[in-house]
Every structure is written in C-alpha cells, then in structure tokens.
Amino acid sequence: MRQRPFRVRLVGVRTSWRTLDDGDFFCPGCGGDRRYRRRAGRRRFVVLGLPLLPRGPAGPVVECVACRGHFGAEALDRPTTSRLSGMLREAVHSVALAVLAAGGSDARAARETAAETVRAAGFPGCTEEELTALLAALTAESRQQGHGRISLEIELHEVLAPLTPHLAVPGRESLLLQGARIALADGVYCAAEREVLATIGRALEIGAEDVDRLLAQARTPS
C-alpha cells in the first residue's frame, strides 16, 4: 500500500489558552448539562513549531469540557436543565399563591387544586395548610407595607420574567392555564382573579387576546 508523504507544517498560528473560571452550563453542542471552562488566550505566529511573533489575544470563549466545543459568552445565559426545572417549580408555586390571594383562599376546592398543582410541579410535600399559612404571612406583610397589589405584581414579574425567554409558547400558556384552573375550581372567575391572571399573562409575554382565549379555554371541560 502506498503511503502518503509526511508533511511538516512550517508556519501557522498557535493559541495558548488559560482558564479564567469554570462551572456548569447547557452545552449547545452536546444538547445537555455539562461542565465548562471560560478561557482566554494569546495567539502567536509559529515557525517550525517555535512560537515567535505575538498575534494578539484570543477569546474569551466558553469551552465545553466534554465536546471541547467553543462558544460565545451568551452560552452561559441559558440556564442548565436542573436550574430551569427549579425556575419552573418556583413559577408554578408563585402563580398558585397569586391566584389564591386574588379570591380563592376561602374555598377548599381552590386550595386543593392549588396544592395538587404545586405538588405536580415538583413540591411533593405541599399541602393546603402550607399554602394557607404562607398566604396568610404574605397577606399580613403586604398589609403592613400598604401596597399589596403592587408587591404581588412585582413578585410575579421577578419570578416569571427570567423564565419566560426560555419557555416555548406552549410552556408559557400552560403556566397561565394552571393558574386559570385554580381560579375556576370554586366557580367562575371573579374580577380580582381575572386581574391577576392578566398580570401573569403580561409577565409571560402572552398577548391580551391570547390571555382571553386561554381563560375561555380553561372553562371548557377537557
């Protein structure tokens, strides 16, 4: 068999990397949670393997430890799968509390539906009593501060806004529908429940017409 001639690379550019920090991220190349190293380097012109002239800085880049792929710093903006799951659990919990605070805390059916929704989201030990106690504490705090409705809207935005860019439209709509079903557990929507559901819709970047459609959809038996 004829062998290929051995070729020596006479000149080129070599990069010497150094690690700035590391952690976990969602690797776009692997499609899952991986370790990363954020790295920066210096490029040098190389002749016969010997680094000679500097060619300037390289990076910084985000390097996946598994696939060795290099990505821009924006790769760290996407939460890991485990972090996204935690954000989603917190979102469901906040939505359930907000809807109960708007008018369903006195109805057992609403409390039961809220507790079931929160348990299904990833808090298996959640009970009606736990939600009621937490709601009472939040209500008392809001009354002391004198701006309960404003505080509620701020809290919803703080929880939902960071999550929204990472959810597809069906995921955002599902969150709103869960809140709507809690509100409907004890009967038709009251004005306060509609208002808080509209607030949830805005935080999730769902248009007003789509919010109305989803609230009507929640009333239709599946």
Side-chain angles (χ1 to χ4, degrees):
M1 183 176 65
R2 185 178 180 181
Q3 294 183 346
R4 294 181 180 179
F6 179 73
R7 296 180 181 178
V8 178
R9 187 175 183 182
L10 300 180
V11 297
V13 176
R14 179 181 298 169
T15 303
S16 299
W17 296 100
R18 72 182 189 279
T19 299
L20 304 175
D21 57 38
D22 58 14
D24 296 322
F25 84 134
F26 184 91
C27 175
C30 296
D33 294 350
R34 299 290 187 270
R35 294 290 295 175
Y36 75 85
R37 293 182 294 191
R38 193 167 63 89
R39 313 190 82 190
R42 302 289 299 179
R43 291 192 296 261
R44 287 186 176 275
F45 186 70
V46 176
V47 177
L48 294 176
L50 299 176
L52 299 177
L53 300 175
R55 295 296 301 271
V61 299
V62 176
E63 180 185 86
C64 175
V65 172
C67 71
R68 303 294 182 180
H70 283 185
F71 310 97
E74 65 276 3
L76 299 181
D77 294 337
R78 179 171 180 173
T80 62
T81 302
S82 57
R83 173 60 182 150
L84 186 61
S85 296
M87 293 168 69
L88 189 56
R89 288 195 300 270
E90 293 295 334
V92 173
H93 193 272
S94 295
V95 166
L97 282 176
V99 174
L100 285 180
S105 59
D106 293 334
R108 183 175 183 181
R111 295 196 305 269
E112 287 179 344
T113 302
E116 289 172 1
T117 301
V118 173
R119 285 196 294 270
F123 292 103
C126 181
T127 63
E128 291 179 53
E129 293 75 18
E130 178 183 314
L131 288 179
T132 302
L134 183 55
L135 188 60
L138 292 174
T139 302
E141 182 180 355
S142 296
R143 286 174 179 170
Q144 288 178 357
Q145 295 175 352
H147 45 72
R149 186 168 296 176
I150 297 174
S151 296
L152 175 62
E153 186 161 349
I154 292 173
E155 181 180 346
L156 283 170
H157 276 278
E158 287 179 346
V159 173
L160 298 179
L163 175 65
T164 297
H166 307 293
L167 288 182
V169 171
R172 288 184 271 135
E173 291 186 346
S174 175
L175 263 177
L176 181 61
L177 283 170
Q178 289 180 72
R181 289 170 184 137
I182 294 171
L184 290 170
D186 61 343
V188 298
Y189 302 116
C190 67
E193 287 170 338
R194 277 191 168 276
E195 184 175 344
V196 77
L197 290 168
T199 297
I200 293 168
R202 287 192 296 272
L204 292 169
E205 297 181 5
I206 301 174
E209 292 185 359
D210 287 323
V211 169
D212 291 339
R213 172 181 59 82
L214 291 166
L215 297 190
Q217 178 183 326
R219 288 198 302 262
T220 304
S222 56

